[in-house]
Amino acid sequence: MTVRPEVGGTPRMCDGGVARAFALLGKRWNGMLLSTLADGPAGFAELSRALPGISESVLSDRLGELVRLGLVSRTVRQGPPVGVSYELTGPGAAVLPVLDALGRWAHENLPAERQAGASPGC
């Protein structure tokens, strides 16, 4: 935790958990990928279509990161044709209420015009 300047004699503390959460969810596409997988397992091409504007290399990197963190599982289906699908794990699904709440908050409190860095088509 980082100690911030005192206010009223009490030092303010940055919540380390919130910092870690935003380090993950603040990275472009991670939150949207988790939210998209809320509807169930999806293949790479389906996820690519669901997130207009994401490049294949970034999609691959983000999925790899979410798999390494244990938020998403990757399953290889034996063919023919061979396929790969991605699905939320328990910890990945646990963040969905937070993402839903953030989405509601944004609809209620942020202007509808396109925000800088917003994903096209979302």
Side-chain angles (χ1 to χ4, degrees):
M1 281 194 220
T2 303
V3 177
R4 298 191 309 191
E6 292 186 18
V7 175
T10 305
R12 293 186 187 207
M13 304 294 280
C14 173
D15 185 319
V18 171
R20 286 192 314 277
F22 274 98
L24 172 73
L25 297 175
K27 189 180 274 187
R28 190 167 185 195
W29 304 110
N30 279 350
M32 290 178 281
L33 270 168
L34 292 169
S35 182
T36 301
L37 287 169
D39 292 331
F44 190 91
E46 184 179 358
L47 291 170
S48 182
R49 285 189 302 273
L51 298 167
I54 191 170
S55 70
E56 289 187 1
S57 64
V58 170
L59 177 57
S60 180
D61 287 346
R62 296 300 186 264
L63 286 169
E65 177 181 22
L66 295 171
V67 168
R68 280 190 304 280
L69 291 170
L71 302 175
V72 171
S73 64
R74 179 181 185 270
T75 303
V76 178
R77 295 181 315 272
Q78 298 306 314
V82 173
V84 176
S85 65
Y86 298 89
E87 184 174 11
L88 291 176
T89 62
V95 77
L96 294 177
V98 174
L99 295 176
D100 289 340
L102 278 172
R104 279 192 311 277
W105 174 83
H107 284 293
E108 294 169 4
N109 296 287
L110 296 179
E113 68 259 7
R114 207 35 97 218
Q115 299 293 315
S119 171
C122 289

